[in-house]
Amino acid sequence: MSAQRRPRVIETVREMREAVAAERAAGRTVALTPTLGALHEGHLAHVRRAAEIADTRVVSIFLNPTQFTQPADLERYPRTLDADVDLLAGEGVDLVFAPSVDEMYPTGPTATTVSAGAVGSTFEGRLRPGHFDAVLTVVAKLLGIVTPDVVTFGQKDAQQLFVVKRMVGDLNIATRVETIPTVREPDGLALSSRNRFLSASERTAARTLSAALEAAVSAGERGIDAALAAAQGALMGEELVDLDYFAIVHPATFRPVDDDYRGPAIAIVAATLGSTRLIDNEPLRIG
Ligand code: PAF
């Protein structure tokens, strides 16, 4: 990876709009990768893919306070802007949009919000009421500011990806959502900004999550019960893993599939290890 010039870091909505307008005037297409910061290889997979599908790459780094339902979670989220910009320089990213909270919410949380609907209060949304509404609202704002031709979202946050794709379709937003496959450690653990909080023993135990998903994928052809039983077997006996849910959902509704379902699905898992909550998922075929 060769070091390249640093991206231009833009802090205001006005300058961001002007920068995008200049790219468009020069005939260049624009890709946006929205992030909360604390970038890692998983995010870099987004900007590498973005380089293949658009001319100009914008990465937004905005630690959106409205989507954190636990103040402690927001408090401990790593703030690493300089290191993030260094990483993006190494990838040749053109523009970084790093607004302040006041710039994004000049009069406080917006009076107008986007609703994620019923899916927004299941799985991740059950534990964090309002989280997905806040995510969709800030994503709608970012899409309105950057107006990208394409926006990248990770398969890692399957429920977020689902509600974002639905919002873009439902609201006729003129962008294409590009799904970026999950990047994993060699032992299968999905990369996440939260992994840094795991102790050594929790890190070892965290492997169980992807092992459960792999077990479900392998057993999927024998039906839903077999897939769920295989996952349960992989998760059993790991005391450090406090399982929140393991479910197999329909890709078109994000609702658990029926017992006799056959077809494409997504196995999703969430668990807490110590004070760290991890989520993961894997697309699979049932039957
Ligand atoms: O997935 C994230 O990093 C955030 O939810 C997002 C999409 C940047 C919105 O703040």
Side-chain angles (χ1 to χ4, degrees):
M1 185 170 63
S2 64
Q4 301 188 24
R5 72 183 157 73
R6 280 175 78 77
R8 179 178 164 207
V9 179
I10 295 175
E11 294 178 357
T12 67
V13 171
R14 186 180 54 78
E15 283 171 288
M16 189 66 240
R17 286 191 196 283
E18 286 169 2
V20 170
E23 296 303 312
R24 286 263 154 66
R28 288 192 279 270
T29 56
V30 175
L32 169 66
T33 297
T35 80
L36 295 167
L39 304 187
H40 51 65
E41 275 293 319
H43 297 105
L44 300 188
H46 286 237
V47 298
R48 286 172 194 152
R49 177 66 185 139
E52 295 168 355
I53 55 180
D55 303 314
T56 298
R57 289 173 293 165
V58 181
V59 174
S60 64
I61 299 180
F62 178 59
L63 189 51
N64 176 38
T66 62
Q67 71 187 71
F68 286 81
T69 49
Q70 299 292 332
D73 243 13
L74 173 61
E75 199 52 45
R76 87 162 177 168
Y77 197 92
R79 289 149 171 89
T80 55
L81 182 62
D82 287 346
D84 291 346
V85 175
D86 285 348
L87 274 179
L88 297 175
E91 297 297 325
V93 166
D94 308 280
L95 300 168
V96 169
F97 181 46
S100 65
V101 172
D102 281 350
E103 181 68 14
M104 287 296 276
Y105 300 111
T107 54
T110 55
T112 305
T113 58
V114 181
S115 166
V119 169
S121 32
T122 63
F123 300 114
E124 289 312 290
R126 193 178 54 79
L127 275 189
R128 297 187 273 168
H131 167 76
F132 285 114
D133 295 357
V135 167
L136 290 185
T137 302
V138 79
V139 170
K141 282 169 73 69
L142 291 167
L143 293 176
I145 295 163
V146 180
T147 63
D149 299 276
V150 58
V151 62
T152 65
F153 275 89
Q155 177 63 43
K156 161 76 170 47
D157 294 304
Q159 196 173 0
Q160 171 171 280
L161 175 66
F162 175 85
V163 293
V164 165
K165 276 188 173 165
R166 199 174 55 175
M167 173 183 76
V168 165
D170 283 351
L171 303 186
N172 303 96
I173 297 176
T175 192
R176 185 171 68 74
V177 179
E178 175 80 5
T179 303
I180 307 299
T182 304
V183 181
R184 299 182 178 281
E185 299 279 9
D187 71 350
L189 178 68
L191 294 198
S192 161
S193 310
R194 292 165 185 249
N195 291 353
R196 68 187 75 191
F197 300 127
L198 297 169
S199 69
S201 54
E202 289 162 2
R203 169 64 189 83
T204 306
R207 155 86 184 103
T208 323
L209 269 60
S210 56
L213 293 169
E214 282 163 26
V217 171
S218 306
E221 64 180 26
R222 288 185 280 117
I224 195 80
D225 287 348
L228 289 171
Q232 202 177 14
L235 287 161
M236 229 156 48
E238 184 45 81
E239 284 171 10
L240 291 178
V241 175
D242 183 6
L243 184 67
D244 183 18
Y245 59 75
F246 187 99
I248 298 181
V249 297
H250 196 291
T253 62
F254 220 82
R255 286 202 213 102
V257 295
D258 294 334
D259 291 349
D260 58 354
Y261 177 75
R262 300 261 176 280
I266 312 171
I268 58 174
V269 65
T272 303
L273 293 89
S275 60
T276 307
R277 191 150 184 290
L278 298 180
I279 60 171
D280 198 358
N281 72 90
E282 200 60 64
L284 78 168
R285 187 151 194 101
I286 301 293

